[in-house]
Amino acid sequence: MADPRQRRERLLALLPRIYTAQPRDSAVGAVVDALAAALARVDDSLTRVQYDRWVGLASPLREGDDISALEALGRLLQVNRLPPRLAHAGYDPDGPTRLSVRFDAHAPLADALHDLIGDAWRQPDENGRPGDPAALLAEQFPGVRFALDDAARLQADADTPAALARFRALLDPEPGEIFRQRLRVTAQVRTGGLTTPRALLALALADLGAEPCPRLERRQDSTLARGMAPGTRKRCAACAGDGPCPNTPAAVVEAWLTEHPVEARRHTEPAPRLRRVFTLDNPSLLPDRPVWRLTVSDQPAAYPAVRSLESGEITLFAGTLKPGDTLVVQPALSPTERAGFDGYDSPGHHAWSASHPAGRAIVIDADGAERDVSDAVFYLWGTRFDAPEATLDGGMRCGVLDQRVVTPQLRPGSNAWMLLTFAKPDAEFADAGSTVHTSRFAGPQDADGTRFALLDGSLARSDAKFATLLFEAISKTDTASTTEGSTANAARLRLDLEWVARPPATARLRIPKNEWVAAAAARGVLALVRSDVTGASAAGVRIQVDFPEPVRREYVVSGEGLSLHTGQRWREDAAPSERGPHIGLKLTLRDSAAPQEGHLSTGLVFDTTRLDWSHAG
């Protein structure tokens, strides 16, 4: 703000002395003071006009206008400042833990209660008494007690200032600096046409009121970003290039964007027609082998199988399913097939592979008892050439016939599949121990007959001719000539297929809902995040915004440690010397000198000459 005193001094320096010599309380002095004040206001207006053209300098406060300069810049990009979530006539704080909210005709208390707790306070309880709005509000805001007085005022008394701040966030508009940060990031994304993971993550964090950290992390198929408290980057030494980033523990919110996230898919054929083609749509970038579940309702189903017309693979169960049985086949997957679905937020895909890497097939009866039938599932695959000149091995160039729990591959796009069983449910089979097989293959022109030969445990060890014959019989199944009468007595089945997919042109933004996100949700920001991220994503890209519960992390200090020490030890080696038996004589002469102890004695001399009378005088 310009200083009027400096303006007055400059005016006095320019005016003639006849005016400057006048006292300040004179008419000329009053005119000079008024002119200096007017010039100071002009300086402030010019400065504000210059500053208000830029988002980083525009004032977030309203100075007599309907909207502030920062909000006016936001309207140019259709970015509005979030108003208070709760309409009120004002509030009066009474210390750090208490406040009183006022309501009037333009902002009635009933509408505010409806926005906070709905119409639950209008409904009577089981005793016929009306609901207590204060108790319902206390449930919404833990740690805050509410009371309603006769003047339509809402009193809030909190245990801690933090608890009151969560409720106070509903009464205030979006903070000015948070709106400034959100406007700057939104302007860069919208005007620059950016749809990169960095731009989308920065936009989401700015909407939540956090400052995006410029250092991102790439983890498999996801990009991880962290949001700091506003003003952190100004004090960050790493952003100035002076060292490693120290702000990772200080992040207030985390967000990660996953490209082509792994999704679970399911397809159900409630009443599949035998030997009739049905279509499976797999919107995925990668193929997968689905888990198929076959349920039998009323009649037995002998030797059911599923066949993919796209890949030519067949999975066959060599057994009969009784009414009420359900066959579940979980296929074996190679490391290459699994690696394509590994991701940062999809660690549990194909959950059965960890405990059953070779696959598993079970039959669940009507009572819920399970029976492992993995050794009765066979995998068939072969390449056919139906041209007349392709006569080698009956038209099959190569084939696989093995006892493995593997289902046909579900390729990206549209897949044609078929469910096969015996055409006649009362077909007779030869005894497994008999050498005479009464089963026969149905010919190309036959409408009925056994579709598969007798299969037992020796199927995998059969010769190539038998494998060729079996595959040819399945491949020549006529799907067009099957009439309603030929399947009138067939079993009623239900086929469920489950697999995982990576849909193209998809992304998923996940932001764990911690305290910072919960406070933003109280201001109604979560809907803004979904709207901004969806609008800023590339055309044709479907993006999901999710706010899951945060991952519970426990930090346990390990008692293990690594210690290194050096030392040296010395040991004297004194080998004993051996001697033979011998006799020796030794004489020692010694002078005997007994010691005599002395006594303490005192000697006195008595001089009698001192008593001679001749010396007396």
Side-chain angles (χ1 to χ4, degrees):
M1 183 176 181
D3 190 358
R5 293 177 300 176
Q6 294 181 358
R7 275 295 181 181
R8 186 175 187 278
E9 293 176 358
R10 292 178 182 179
L11 284 175
L12 294 177
L14 296 175
L15 293 176
R17 183 173 178 80
I18 189 173
Y19 298 107
T20 58
Q22 300 294 329
R24 190 164 187 175
D25 55 351
S26 64
V28 175
V31 171
V32 172
D33 290 343
L35 184 58
L39 291 176
R41 289 193 296 270
V42 171
D43 292 341
D44 292 338
S45 299
L46 293 176
T47 302
R48 191 182 66 176
V49 169
Q50 293 176 351
Y51 284 1
D52 289 348
R53 296 178 58 187
W54 310 99
V55 175
L57 301 176
S59 174
L61 302 177
R62 298 182 179 181
E63 300 178 356
D65 300 330
D66 295 336
I67 60 174
S68 63
L70 187 60
E71 295 178 45
L73 291 178
R75 290 190 175 184
L76 296 177
L77 294 176
Q78 298 181 354
V79 179
N80 298 322
R81 188 175 183 178
L82 295 178
R85 186 180 176 187
L86 190 65
H88 59 89
Y91 66 91
D92 302 320
D94 185 11
T97 59
R98 298 189 63 182
L99 60 83
S100 176
V101 186
R102 303 187 306 272
F103 299 92
D104 56 11
H106 300 285
L109 176 61
D111 294 346
L113 294 177
H114 175 76
D115 295 338
L116 292 176
I117 57 179
D119 292 333
W121 64 283
R122 300 178 185 270
Q123 305 296 331
D125 57 8
E126 56 184 6
N127 298 325
R129 294 176 297 183
D132 187 5
L136 297 176
L137 287 174
E139 295 178 0
Q140 296 289 335
F141 301 93
V144 184
R145 294 173 296 276
F146 295 91
L148 298 175
D149 57 12
D150 297 336
R153 297 170 65 96
L154 180 63
Q155 307 288 339
D157 187 3
D159 297 334
T160 59
L164 185 64
R166 288 193 293 268
F167 174 71
R168 190 170 180 175
L170 307 180
L171 308 177
D172 296 329
E174 185 178 11
E177 294 306 317
I178 293 180
F179 176 63
R180 186 192 307 276
Q181 175 71 17
R182 180 167 67 90
L183 181 57
R184 296 179 65 175
V185 175
T186 306
Q188 294 176 0
V189 173
R190 292 188 178 181
T191 59
L194 301 178
T195 59
T196 61
R198 177 182 293 274
L200 296 179
L201 290 170
L203 182 60
L205 294 177
D207 287 347
L208 294 173
E211 191 172 23
C213 179
R215 300 198 177 187
L216 307 181
E217 294 184 15
R218 183 68 180 179
R219 299 185 180 180
Q220 293 178 323
D221 58 349
S222 302
T223 304
L224 178 62
R226 296 180 176 89
M228 308 298 171
T232 305
R233 291 190 59 182
K234 295 181 179 179
R235 305 183 300 270
C236 181
C239 292
D242 297 336
C245 182
N247 291 329
T248 300
V252 296
V253 62
E254 292 183 354
W256 64 84
L257 185 67
T258 304
E259 302 169 11
H260 311 298
V262 176
E263 298 180 359
R265 296 287 176 172
R266 183 185 180 93
H267 179 84
T268 301
E269 287 288 330
R273 304 279 296 276
L274 300 180
R275 301 181 301 282
R276 292 298 178 90
V277 178
F278 60 90
T279 303
L280 292 175
D281 293 327
N282 184 24
S284 176
L285 297 173
L286 301 174
D288 189 30
R289 298 190 181 275
V291 175
W292 60 287
R293 181 187 302 265
L294 184 63
T295 304
V296 181
S297 299
D298 51 357
Q299 297 184 15
Y303 286 41
V306 291
R307 176 190 177 191
S308 172
L309 302 182
E310 304 295 333
S311 63
E313 299 170 292
I314 299 172
T315 300
L316 172 67
F317 171 61
T320 302
L321 296 178
K322 301 177 181 179
D325 289 352
T326 300
L327 173 65
V328 181
V329 180
Q330 299 172 338
L333 298 173
S334 64
T336 304
E337 293 173 335
R338 285 176 47 85
F341 297 98
D342 293 338
Y344 177 66
D345 58 348
S346 59
H349 67 88
H350 303 96
W352 70 88
S353 297
S355 55
H356 303 282
R360 185 180 67 156
I362 60 174
V363 173
I364 306 175
D365 59 15
D367 297 331
E370 297 183 0
R371 175 168 52 95
D372 196 318
V373 293
S374 300
D375 56 350
V377 176
F378 295 88
Y379 172 72
L380 298 91
W381 175 83
T383 302
R384 277 185 45 82
F385 296 93
D386 294 330
E389 60 273 9
T391 58
L392 181 60
D393 293 335
M396 186 173 69
R397 294 290 183 178
C398 57
V400 175
L401 175 62
D402 198 0
Q403 194 276 309
R404 286 190 298 166
V405 185
V406 179
T407 58
Q409 192 178 66
L410 193 60
R411 297 179 177 179
S414 180
N415 295 259
W417 279 41
M418 182 190 302
L419 180 63
L420 305 173
T421 61
F422 280 99
K424 297 175 62 175
D426 55 350
E428 297 180 357
F429 295 93
D431 186 19
S434 175
T435 58
V436 179
H437 296 271
T438 59
S439 319
R440 68 179 182 86
F441 289 107
Q445 307 299 329
D446 296 338
D448 298 324
T450 301
R451 294 292 175 182
F452 304 105
L454 178 65
L455 304 180
D456 54 16
S458 63
L459 176 63
R461 297 186 297 273
S462 302
D463 54 7
K465 184 176 180 181
F466 180 76
T468 301
L469 184 62
L470 180 60
F471 184 79
E472 288 292 323
I474 297 175
S475 300
K476 289 182 179 180
T477 301
D478 189 1
T479 61
S481 62
T482 305
T483 60
E484 293 291 339
S486 61
T487 59
N489 297 324
R492 291 183 174 85
L493 308 173
R494 175 188 173 93
L495 181 63
D496 296 311
L497 298 171
E498 300 174 0
W499 70 96
V500 294
R502 282 192 179 274
T506 57
R508 179 167 56 204
L509 175 63
R510 283 193 168 182
I511 304 175
K513 195 173 184 180
N514 55 7
E515 295 183 359
W516 186 277
V517 180
R523 302 193 305 266
V525 178
L526 301 189
L528 176 65
V529 174
R530 291 189 175 95
S531 177
D532 285 352
V533 173
T534 303
S537 59
V541 175
R542 180 173 58 90
I543 187 168
Q544 304 174 0
V545 182
D546 188 17
F547 299 93
E549 291 296 325
V551 178
R552 307 299 179 184
R553 299 186 178 96
E554 295 183 359
Y555 297 94
V556 180
V557 179
S558 176
E560 299 180 357
L562 177 63
S563 62
L564 300 176
H565 66 278
T566 60
Q568 188 175 3
R569 298 177 61 185
W570 288 272
R571 184 177 61 184
E572 296 182 357
D573 190 3
S577 58
E578 298 181 356
R579 296 181 60 185
H582 65 281
I583 298 175
L585 179 63
K586 183 178 182 181
L587 178 62
T588 302
L589 299 179
R590 180 182 301 166
D591 294 338
S592 178
Q596 182 178 3
E597 298 180 356
H599 301 279
L600 178 65
S601 61
T602 303
L604 301 175
V605 177
F606 189 73
D607 189 3
T608 59
T609 59
R610 300 292 183 184
L611 302 178
D612 189 4
W613 290 100
S614 62
H615 294 83

